[in-house]
Amino acid sequence: MSEKQSMPSGCILEGEKLSAEYFSAGKNIPVLKEVDISLKERECIGIAGESGCGKSTLALSLLRLIDEDEGRVFGGNIFFREKKHEEIINIAAVDKHRLLKVRGKEISLVTQDPYTSFNPVIKLYRQFREAYSVHNPGFEEKDFFLRVSSLLESVNLYPPEKILQSYPHQLSGGMLQRASLAMALLNEPRILIADEPTSSLDVTIQKKIMETLKNLRSLYNLSIIFISHDLNLISEIADRVYVLYAGKVVETAPSAEFFKDPYHPYSAVLLKSLPKLGARGRIASIPGRAPQPGAIKKGCAFAPRCSYADGECFRNEPPLTRSGEREWACLKGK
Amino acid sequence: MMIPVLFGITVITFFIMHLTPGSPVDGLMMSPDVDAGAIIRLRDAYGLDRPLHIQYFSWISRVATLNFGSSFRDGRKVTMKIAERLPATILLNVVSLFLIFSLAVPIGIISAVKHNKAIDKILAVCVFAGYSVPSFVVALILMMYFGVELGWLPVSGMVSINYEFLTFWGKVFDIASHLILPAVSTAIGGLAFLSRYLRSSMLEVIKQDYIKAARARGIPEKSLVLFHALRNAFIPMITVFGLLLPALIGGSVVFETIFSWPGMGRLAYEAIMARDYPVVMGVGVIMAVLTLIGNFLADVGYAAADPRIRYE
Amino acid sequence: MEKLLKNKMVLSGLLIVFFFILVSVFAPYVYRHSPLEQNISHRLRAPCSRYIMGTDDLGRDVMARVIAGSRISLSVGFVSVGIALLIGVPLGLIAGFYGKGADRVIMRIVDIMLCFPTIFLILMVIAFLGPSIYNVMMVIGLTSWPGLTRYVRAETLSVRRREYIQSAEMMGIKKHRILFVHILPNTIAPVIISAALGVGSAILAESILSFLGLGVQPPAPSWGNILTLGKEYISHNTWWLLVFPGTAILMTVVAFNLIGEGLRDVLDPRRRKEK
């Protein structure tokens, strides 16, 4: 693990060669392979890919949230520019104590299923208060309440008193997801990782949550890592897109260019299989199934499903090609 | 739920009494230490000439008013005999429940947090031993070692001979020293059972997504375990408490007999050995009722601890 | 089967049980002391070269009595679990398979049995029927089936819901055929597990009853009634009357628990998934 003195200006988070694996039945299953990712201040990046490509693992590894006995992240660095001193720390290497000050305070996470983001047997009030108190020792009750109620209002949950006195199961899924957005922003983090924040909700609610998210973004100057299998949603909010396939980044591009002209054949198929806006976008029409990360040892992981693939693709792993702001890993693409 | 169970228990008790070859009274006729009056009283009380179901209903209607009749041995009211023994049994069981919980909770937490580490494995072996060890033999061995060999602790009864002459604190200390061995022996089985249960339910809770979500908020491990996880793991424990109770009450028959503890369990044993039917019946019904009350409290506690049930 | 033997817990449990079976069957021919022969002048001897486990209050050889006791304990364990199986498994199958009224009645009875302090029930029955080893087997068997019924019912219910059973039913295959051919085999795993655990607790229950004077009656030897003497002479520091039968009980119970839990690790699919 190396220390880093400087980061590109405007850059707030930089994941470098992140690899992760899970332990299962005595074997190590690789999930992420040397993923590079960067996030600028106030930027929103979208991470796209089919289920099982490692998107959620990426979200968890950025906060070192993978359980020690379930798996591990290894070999990479996660540089983060701290709010106060503009000091750069390496999240992958900091001690536990420092890590606790990053989680929730600098970087927050919103997950897919709102019902599992709150403890089911504790009132929301206590859960909010606990999360507030760990980052604001010696806080005033009044300040806490002001903060929570203004947040709840900004996610359209009224009245705050009533919401706070509820148990999670007393709220609907959409309300809970709003509450967890509010929770994520409680301690004014600069980065929000949203891991499929809308995919367990139905379409109308999905739209409202997306509106709320955009609102919050401009309201609190957030940088967002938006993870989704749904390219429609990503196109709505993201400035840049990362496409993940079998644990690797296969393409990175600014949204505008990406949606007009994807370079990687996989991205192209993903885009082609998009239903029109409004309908729920499931990526199901690509021939074959996404391989388990690590199942393909040689060559390009997408080759078996790719219509452009030839012998070379099965032999050699394509390197990332860079041109301007775009990167792609394909021997055949542009 | 309670009513049919209570009904069933009284039927079983009544049925077992009538399993005895002949009538309960026949056996008594032979024993010289029972006076003729008691036999007549018993005949009257049970209406032994009438058909079984009528006998049952007349018996149950008296049981419902806690009227179990009088003991064959000393002619005293069964209710009185039980009432004077009950506090000792409750004291013993409350103390061992306290022991069980105050040890099982840390053991369960530590082994769940240190899952698969050395300390977890050591604790697992201890718990397995506690599970398998015949605790009445442990009681005897403790009795021999601490009571006889070292002479540190009294081995029988609840108070010393000079109890009457002790100061208040002397009395408390006296009872406490008599309590140690019976309470420890009673606690062994439940302790093993509960700590293992808590371990597995903690392990399950710790893996839940809401714990991960709380961790993502920067909440330190300590409060994740002690506040979030424990709170959830405790809910199923309340049901287990209901299962533990019959075992404890049944166990009191054995341990009170071993340590001559003047409680209801020992009364039951003495009554069984002396074939003192009214007392056996009375104790049986009271034990069942106590168990049911425990189960009821467990249900209430479960509802109180789990908001998801309370509001549905 | 191979997997079972590879499991260290099952294997060591089986070895201990095998050892006790060997001892109870063959030891009387090898170890020539009689469990009944009295020798008052040698009463309450501590273990020595002549009496490896010492003697009791009548000068009987404790080792011979422990060996003879293993026969009784094991047979009580197996027979009473056999009885419990005969009652518990059919009831569980009926409750799970036919459901409705039968299920309600059976499960109510199970609830009642589980609520009642078993030891007290056993004591009561034995006291009224008279203490004998057969009554002990009967009573332990008659009181230990409810747990089994629960497991079998739960398993039956879950198998019943599977698609292949439902389609078999739809195709008009006879109910009892479905029950015996498809469902019964699926319940074997939980039944074996709880039977193994049941033998251990039956042995424990027998020793408690004999200890309290309600099981095997002296002079016949049993682990429990050796312990009774140990309690009686506790002020004489007769530790050998406690330690040896106590260890015997501990080892058999441990063995059956090892077998039961080891089997659970191997057979129970729910726990397998966890690992």
Side-chain angles (χ1 to χ4, degrees), chain B residues 241-302:
Chain B
F241 173 79
L243 289 175
L244 207 61
L245 217 60
L248 272 183
I249 290 178
S252 66
V253 177
V254 179
F255 294 108
E256 289 182 5
T257 305
I258 291 178
F259 290 102
S260 309
W261 187 259
M264 215 173 61
R266 182 151 173 256
L267 178 67
Y269 178 72
E270 290 164 355
I272 286 171
M273 295 309 272
R275 299 207 159 196
D276 193 346
Y277 295 97
V279 177
V280 174
M281 289 298 177
V283 176
V285 172
I286 295 290
M287 279 183 172
V289 170
L290 280 182
T291 312
L292 285 178
I293 292 176
N295 279 338
F296 176 70
L297 288 180
D299 283 351
V300 171
Y302 193 99

Side-chain angles (χ1 to χ4, degrees), chain C residues 29-125:
Chain C
Y29 304 102
V30 181
Y31 188 73
R32 284 287 174 188
H33 289 262
S34 152
L36 297 177
E37 190 191 304
Q38 304 182 1
N39 189 345
I40 296 291
S41 58
H42 288 175
R43 68 192 294 263
L44 295 179
R45 286 277 173 92
C48 57
S49 54
R50 178 158 172 207
Y51 302 107
I52 299 174
M53 295 184 184
T55 65
D56 66 8
D57 62 329
L58 298 174
R60 293 173 296 197
D61 183 66
V62 172
M63 184 154 159
R65 291 181 73 75
V66 170
I67 289 171
S70 64
R71 233 178 229 206
I72 289 176
S73 291
L74 287 176
S75 41
V76 170
F78 287 123
V79 173
S80 49
V81 166
I83 296 174
L85 286 175
L86 282 180
I87 305 173
V89 175
L91 284 182
L93 282 174
I94 292 171
F97 192 71
Y98 294 102
K100 295 194 192 105
D103 185 32
R104 229 172 293 142
V105 171
I106 291 172
M107 291 324 283
R108 223 347 91 70
I109 297 175
V110 166
D111 285 340
I112 293 170
M113 297 288 290
L114 288 176
C115 254
F116 210 64
T118 323
I119 293 257
F120 181 72
L121 195 62
I122 295 177
L123 285 177
M124 228 159 78
V125 177

